[in-house]
DNA sequence: AAACTCTGCGTTATCGTTAACACTTTAGTC
DNA sequence: GACTAAAGTGTTAACGATAACGCAGAGTTT
């Protein structure tokens, strides 16, 4: 491994001078600078970030902890984060909590060991409060993405989940549906609670009892959506819903898989709507009616907030940004005749 | 920041003893060990990975550089990498090259500064050779994922792109298509070259001139697919293809968007097939006929290879694993009647 | 009881970089 | 020409952890 000493020796200067050249500081004679740069090139010197980080107390690295990067929603967030981080000279370390507080805790710990300068977290649940509290206490900067946690005051970028769920439900109501079921993730997660609320509000506003709620234990997983839909199909005809609101894309896919299994047509026999778009799927076939959240913006904003803090905005009050979702009406709600999807 | 010294002081021992406790080494009396553990807990001590890394010459971090994490193919790779890395105690730093050699070079450099122990790279093109050579020379371990580079001997996990393209093309031939176009990414990338080859082989085997090739400049982007398809549609009827092989999922989506624009039905008026599944889209509606690559396995295998090397298998000859793709026949090729997609 | 072994701990030096300070030399001022 | 200022460079000491070695005391062997 080539060190700054090696470069210094080759260029006939001290390590300090090399350091100054590397960091573009003034007070180095042009000739010296060029000699050093040549030596750096010759030897292929790459500064040791660990040593620098140790000394300066920062690593120019941030962490991103989400539940599952393979969910397109989080993928887009990651992409947004990455773009901003890169522009600002930060590297991004990734972690998947799989909606588990314990795995989340482990990851955060690893990241603290790696001395990330700050973290972006989509907390796995209310149980995340403990870790977040300890982060707070240790003065580690972090920003919450997509989900809040009761009692944790921190920068936050999330969607308006109540309004989104209200919109989805109201849209189904406007199409004449009366028995609308909700397939929801674990209420550990704030988005699930808020989406439940929006659903309830919309139904109560028109005097319907919101009792067709299925809350799956394993938050936001495809398999859970399948199970919930199967249950709903077992209901006697007069109780069976005519429409389903899935509170995220994974659940919706599971729901649709279960419906297909039982030869229930969408939207003819059952309308289905959900949160969060699946971008490529929609491009291929604009089928699923969803409320789209600006996921990439979640990422860029959150990263920006974090980096702002790292750059010294210590004591500004936490910022909370709530981005509005947008209803995208497509085929699966039955709002319009199903058109030939491809062509 | 709490250091090992602070803990040592509180527990009434030397830093060395604390270090031994933290690293689970023997030769510490039980009573002492417990006292130290208590102190660690009390103070909330987290070992400083930078310091440790500096001393030991490794960071327990690996890098993953792909062209675009928002492509589901790479997302799955990332997920696979992450799983293995986590189990083996490594953190993963992510980078998107956007198919640009220059951006790739920058990322790799940042990662070298961060002293990653090794890298997983899906190289942006032939131009990546330079960086990879210098990695090689500096003794940095890396594994190529999904793409090889002429002249670079390194561990490699990729798909059988020639066979995959051959299968796709042969399948279209078996359905009676004679004029089959290829919409391909930049030949900078090995997958594009191999897929072109497979396409040519399949056509030449039945005596058809493979001349309906569109190679887009901007490798594997949706917009490029759209442009290429538009061009194909401008051809006079007797030259216009009746089927299109897109060499990746993004291109296929673009192609289909362009076809829809012009009210060309898929598969009735134009068959479309491509490389790489879009998992959620297929679950929602098994529409696109594709050859599926085991992307997640790409990730787990490559990560495993890298970590094996890091653990000391210095001088084993580079391993090259070529995983077979699997043809998944669905609607877009017209192989079977279009069935009602949802229900 | 002398010689050895093993346990349980501490000391010292080091990883690569840079902040803070110190030292020359040259240029500029009166 | 003495004095100050600035430019250009070097020295020293730290950042936090641990490898290598050292050393006291208890236990074991001969």
């Amino acid at each position: 491994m080539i060190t700054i000493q090696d470069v210094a020796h080759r260029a006939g200067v001290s390590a300090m001078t090399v350091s100054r050249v590397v960091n573009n500081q003034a007070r180095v004679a042009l000739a010296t600078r060029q000699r050093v740069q040549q030596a750096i090139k010759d030897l292929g010197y790459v500064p040791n970030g660990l040593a620098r980080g140790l000394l300066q107390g920062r690593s120019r690295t941030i962490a991103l902890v989400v539940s599952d990067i393979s969910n397109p929603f989080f993928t887009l967030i990651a992409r947004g984060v990455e773009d901003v981080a890169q522009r600002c000279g930060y590297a991004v370390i990734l972690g998947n909590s799989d909606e588990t507080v314990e795995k989340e805790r482990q990851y955060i710990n690893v990241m603290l060991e790696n001395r990330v300068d700050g973290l972006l977290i989509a907390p796995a649940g209310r149980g995340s409060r403990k870790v977040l509290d300890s982060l707070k206490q240790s003065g580690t900067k972090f920003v919450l993405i997509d989900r809040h946690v009761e009692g944790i005051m921190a920068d936050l970028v999330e969607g308006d989940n109540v309004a989104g769920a209200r919109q989805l439900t109201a849209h189904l109501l406007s199409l004449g549906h009366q028995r609308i079921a909700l397939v929801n993730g674990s209420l550990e997660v704030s988005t699930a609670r808020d989406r439940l609320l929006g659903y309830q509000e919309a139904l109560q506003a028109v005097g319907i009892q919101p009792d067709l709620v299925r809350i799956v234990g394993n938050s936001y997983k495809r398999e859970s959506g399948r199970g919930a839909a199967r249950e709903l199909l077992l209901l006697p005809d007069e109780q069976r819903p005519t429409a389903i609101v899935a509170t995220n894309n994974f659940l919706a896919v599971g729901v649709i898989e279960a419906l297909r299994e039982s030869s229930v047509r969408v939207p003819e026999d059952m309308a289905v709507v959900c949160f969060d778009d699946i971008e490529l799927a929609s491009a291929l076939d604009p089928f699923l009616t969803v409320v789209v959240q600006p996921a990439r913006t979640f990422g860029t904003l959150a990263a920006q907030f974090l980096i702002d803090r790292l750059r010294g905005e210590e004591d500004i009050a936490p910022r909370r940004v709530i981005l509005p979702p947008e209803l995208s009406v497509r085929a699966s709600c039955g709002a319009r005749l199903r058109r030939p999807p491809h062509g």
Side-chain angles (χ1 to χ4, degrees), chain A:
Chain A
M1 196 52 33
I2 309 292
T3 78
I4 202 171
Q5 306 289 350
D6 302 330
V7 177
H9 190 251
R10 178 175 246 261
V13 295
S14 77
M16 199 53 225
T17 300
V18 177
S19 172
R20 278 190 270 253
V21 171
V22 169
N23 296 293
N24 263 319
Q25 293 182 19
R27 291 188 155 227
V28 177
L30 184 61
T32 312
R33 186 178 293 271
Q34 286 170 342
R35 205 149 27 94
V36 169
Q37 274 160 348
Q38 189 58 48
I40 289 175
K41 217 172 200 173
D42 292 348
L43 297 173
Y45 167 68
V46 179
N48 187 327
L50 300 179
R52 181 185 284 167
L54 176 58
L55 190 60
Q56 301 186 334
R58 67 208 178 86
S59 59
R60 296 214 141 263
T61 298
I62 63 177
L64 173 65
V65 183
V66 298
S67 63
D68 182 1
I69 186 72
S70 67
N71 182 334
F73 174 68
F74 288 117
T75 306
L76 282 179
I77 288 183
R79 190 60 224 252
V81 167
E82 234 279 307
D83 287 348
V84 171
Q86 203 249 343
R87 262 206 308 283
C88 299
Y90 286 84
V92 178
I93 302 189
L94 182 69
N96 299 299
S97 71
D98 284 322
E99 306 281 11
T100 314
V101 172
E102 174 55 18
K103 214 176 158 198
E104 175 179 275
R105 201 191 52 74
Q106 283 175 17
Y107 262 118
I108 290 178
N109 226 52
V110 168
M111 287 161 173
L112 290 181
E113 287 204 17
N114 283 321
R115 288 300 189 268
V116 295
D117 294 342
L119 303 96
L120 300 165
I121 306 176
R126 277 190 281 236
S128 305
R129 167 142 191 199
K130 214 169 136 191
V131 214
L132 296 178
D133 267 332
S134 73
L135 284 183
K136 205 91 211 249
Q137 205 180 350
S138 71
T140 310
K141 316 274 207 287
F142 64 93
V143 174
L144 297 179
I145 303 195
D146 180 48
R147 305 169 173 189
H148 59 260
V149 175
E150 242 75 358
I152 300 288
M153 283 290 287
D155 288 321
L156 167 68
V157 179
E158 65 177 356
D160 190 338
N161 293 293
V162 180
R166 207 191 295 122
Q167 275 179 66
L168 281 175
T169 314
H171 178 67
L172 290 172
L173 286 168
S174 77
L175 297 176
H177 291 279
Q178 297 277 322
R179 293 197 306 283
I180 301 173
L182 184 77
V183 173
N184 199 3
S186 154
L187 295 185
E188 275 296 303
V189 182
S190 71
T191 51
R193 293 195 298 276
D194 287 351
R195 289 168 193 181
L196 171 60
L197 211 61
Y199 162 82
Q200 290 171 331
E201 283 181 16
L203 288 185
Q204 282 161 351
V206 296
I208 295 180
Q209 201 54 28
D211 50 4
L212 272 170
V213 174
R214 287 291 175 284
I215 289 168
V216 302
N218 279 331
S219 198
Y220 294 147
K221 303 242 172 84
R222 201 157 133 187
E223 187 50 54
S224 317
R226 214 173 327 179
R230 284 199 193 115
E231 277 183 38
L232 290 170
L233 290 178
L234 291 178
L235 292 173
D237 271 7
E238 69 280 8
Q239 290 174 35
R240 190 197 274 196
T242 61
I244 298 178
V245 178
T247 56
N248 96 330
N249 47 10
F250 275 11
L251 289 175
V253 170
V255 164
I256 285 178
E257 285 176 322
L259 295 179
R260 186 165 30 230
E261 250 174 41
S262 306
S263 303
V264 177
R265 290 170 305 165
V266 180
E268 292 84 348
D269 307 327
M270 182 77 79
V272 176
V273 301
C274 74
F275 249 88
D276 296 332
D277 201 11
I278 305 170
E279 208 192 346
L280 286 184
S282 309
L284 223 45
D285 171 14
F287 173 66
L288 209 49
T289 292
V290 299
V291 289
V292 184
Q293 299 197 86
R296 196 156 172 163
T297 307
F298 278 34
T300 53
L301 272 182
Q304 194 61 61
F305 282 4
L306 180 59
I307 291 172
D308 284 351
R309 292 242 174 237
L310 296 180
R311 294 207 170 143
E313 307 185 358
E314 297 282 336
D315 301 319
I316 296 176
R319 282 177 283 192
R320 327 198 108 215
V321 172
I322 300 186
L323 299 171
E326 194 182 331
L327 183 66
S328 184
V329 176
R330 299 197 275 244
S332 71
C333 58
R336 37 177 182 170
L337 279 182
R338 184 108 179 77
R339 56 166 188 157
H342 303 282

